Amino acid sequence: MRRFGAALLSLALLVQAAGCRSRPREPEAAQPFVFRSLNLRQQDAQGRPLWELTSPETRYDLSRRVAQSRDLKGVLYSNGKPAYRFTAANGVVLNDGEVVQLEGATRLQRLEDGAEPLVITAQRVRWYPARELMELDRNPVATQADLRLTSQRARFLIDADRLELRGAPTLVRSGPDPLRLAMEGVDWLPRTGSLQGRGPVRGERQLPDRAPQRLSAPSLTADTRRQTIDLQGPVRVDDPDRNGTLTARDARIDLPRRLLSTDSPFEAQMGEARLVGDQLSIDFGTSLAVVGSGCQLSQPGDRLTAQRCQWNWDSGAVEASGGVVLRREANKQLTRADRLTGKVAENGFVRFGGGGSGRVRTQLQVPRAPSLGPDPAAPRGERKRPPIAL
């Protein structure tokens, strides 16, 4: 920072020498010097640029060591290469560069992100060049593509390329499936896209003409470049309109694919039906939920097991496949099939019907008709009614 102060001081002395040829008899209050332009630059120990700052007009108060500039532009370097470009409406340089306060519309843009770069904006930023630190405390917002992060305050650690958001940080994703996640703290590495969110995490997924689905989890990690979010469990999703809940050990949200999935055991409740399994994927684009392994469906009077199940919540169509076993309390009915199809009623009850082209075998026990006693004319082996196999 000595070079920063020396540059300002040398400019001030040049202006003073050129503009003052004689001293007045009585001392007057010192007037700030006005420079036509400001161009400052600092290097690291290897001679590589660390940062640069320019302004078309700067006023410097020599006694207070304060410079006031407008229309500021600057570049932050990483390993000698431009990494971020920033602009600010106004700026104040304190103590010959110890602190640079950027005010008004301030914008920081990453230069290595291609067509959809990371952009950080705020109304006030305090920059400490020697500490390689920026503090944002008025409406800080970070955006990349259709992701938007907001918080009450933020810190940008320039050397670590890490953005820390504190004070009710919120991650919002716009698009066909709007999603909002509120957390206690967020650490984001823009270069790699790695994001850590400390919870509790509270989320909402907006749906057209319906109450939003609610989500909760203790914490999350995300990859903002791939736009995937990994929720650490226990994860819970509530769907008020369908009277449904989903709980899982963990879950992933793939935003571009519009997919929520888990490879761990889960449990779902929809009205009167309860579903458990070892693997689940929910495709919001096709309205299809698939249990990929260990499907077990239970509801009053029925219990079904299968290797795989799927449910389309728009059409209500249900399909179970792979070693399907359906047990019904009524008549102690037992049905085995390679495939069964059904339909979900409004109360969530699943009614299974045909098995398509696959073979279906059903066994049931018909209750014996009441009588006064056994028919003496009937053969001995026909007095008891065995189960009927269909």
Side-chain angles (χ1 to χ4, degrees):
M1 301 319 302
R2 294 179 179 176
R3 297 184 184 181
F4 191 102
L8 290 177
L9 182 58
S10 61
L11 286 172
L13 291 177
L14 286 173
V15 174
Q16 185 178 20
C20 302
R21 300 195 178 193
S22 61
R23 295 181 177 273
R25 294 181 180 180
E26 297 181 1
E28 296 180 358
Q31 298 296 320
F33 297 104
V34 179
F35 307 135
R36 291 183 177 178
S37 63
L38 179 68
N39 192 337
L40 302 175
R41 189 182 181 106
Q42 187 178 12
Q43 298 177 338
D44 61 14
Q46 287 79 33
R48 299 175 301 183
L50 279 176
W51 55 265
E52 61 184 39
L53 182 66
T54 62
S55 169
E57 182 178 310
T58 298
R59 295 175 178 268
Y60 183 72
D61 190 322
L62 187 61
S63 62
R64 297 169 55 206
R65 298 166 61 196
V66 173
Q68 294 180 314
S69 305
R70 65 174 179 84
D71 300 331
L72 285 159
K73 296 180 180 180
V75 178
L76 303 176
Y77 291 82
S78 175
N79 298 322
K81 298 180 180 180
Y84 288 88
R85 179 181 291 115
F86 65 90
T87 59
N90 300 289
V92 179
V93 182
L94 305 173
N95 297 331
D96 295 336
E98 181 180 343
V99 182
V100 181
Q101 182 159 299
L102 307 174
E103 298 177 338
T106 302
R107 188 176 190 270
L108 181 68
Q109 176 180 326
R110 184 171 174 82
L111 300 177
E112 302 176 2
D113 289 336
E116 297 180 334
L118 165 72
V119 176
I120 305 171
T121 61
Q123 291 299 308
R124 185 171 67 185
V125 177
R126 283 185 297 276
W127 175 28
Y128 302 89
R131 297 166 56 188
E132 297 193 70
L133 172 67
M134 286 184 170
E135 294 182 343
L136 304 84
D137 64 353
R138 285 187 181 175
N139 304 320
V141 179
T143 58
Q144 188 169 31
D146 54 3
L147 295 179
R148 177 184 173 93
L149 266 169
T150 62
S151 65
Q152 296 174 359
R153 59 190 184 278
R155 298 199 321 160
F156 180 49
L157 285 67
I158 300 170
D159 56 341
D161 198 14
R162 183 170 77 245
L163 182 65
E164 300 176 346
L165 296 101
R166 302 293 184 266
T170 302
L171 174 63
V172 176
R173 193 254 186 173
S174 57
D177 291 299
L179 180 67
R180 181 180 182 274
L181 298 172
M183 294 157 280
E184 292 295 322
V186 170
D187 293 340
W188 188 14
L189 302 177
R191 183 177 63 83
T192 63
S194 175
L195 183 145
Q196 299 278 341
R198 292 188 295 279
V201 179
R202 297 286 184 266
E204 286 188 354
R205 175 175 174 264
Q206 298 294 329
L207 299 171
D209 303 323
R210 287 185 51 198
Q213 294 175 337
R214 296 188 299 270
L215 178 151
S216 63
S219 61
L220 65 79
T221 59
D223 185 333
T224 58
R225 292 184 175 273
R226 296 182 178 180
Q227 292 202 6
T228 58
I229 300 172
D230 291 302
L231 302 164
Q232 282 74 54
V235 179
R236 180 182 174 97
V237 180
D238 291 287
D239 189 338
D241 275 6
R242 294 191 176 96
N243 190 26
T245 61
L246 168 68
T247 57
R249 189 179 302 169
D250 52 52
R252 164 169 285 196
I253 302 174
D254 190 321
L255 295 174
R257 296 171 61 192
R258 303 178 66 185
L259 189 71
L260 184 147
S261 62
T262 179
D263 291 329
S264 64
F266 73 92
E267 177 178 339
Q269 190 82 31
M270 188 71 68
E272 297 185 8
R274 175 177 175 267
L275 179 67
V276 300
D278 300 326
Q279 185 185 52
L280 175 69
S281 65
I282 301 175
D283 191 326
F284 297 109
T286 60
S287 304
L288 190 66
V290 177
V291 183
S293 175
C295 176
Q296 298 181 40
L297 172 67
S298 59
Q299 56 191 6
D302 293 350
R303 186 173 185 273
L304 177 142
T305 59
Q307 294 178 4
R308 185 179 185 273
C309 298
Q310 68 179 40
W311 166 52
N312 186 301
W313 62 82
D314 279 348
S315 65
V318 177
E319 179 182 311
S321 59
V324 182
V325 178
L326 175 62
R327 291 179 171 85
R328 287 176 171 164
E329 293 180 1
N331 299 327
K332 296 183 180 180
Q333 180 178 338
L334 177 65
T335 300
R336 299 180 184 273
D338 293 329
R339 176 175 171 268
L340 279 181
T341 59
K343 194 84 169 179
V344 180
E346 292 184 359
N347 61 356
F349 194 90
V350 182
R351 299 185 182 278
F352 286 96
S357 59
R359 183 178 179 182
V360 179
R361 181 179 176 84
T362 300
Q363 179 178 304
L364 56 88
Q365 186 169 345
V366 178
R368 181 179 176 181
S371 63
L372 297 176
D375 185 357
R380 183 182 300 271
E382 297 181 3
R383 294 184 183 181
K384 295 183 179 179
R385 296 179 179 266
I388 300 176
L390 302 177

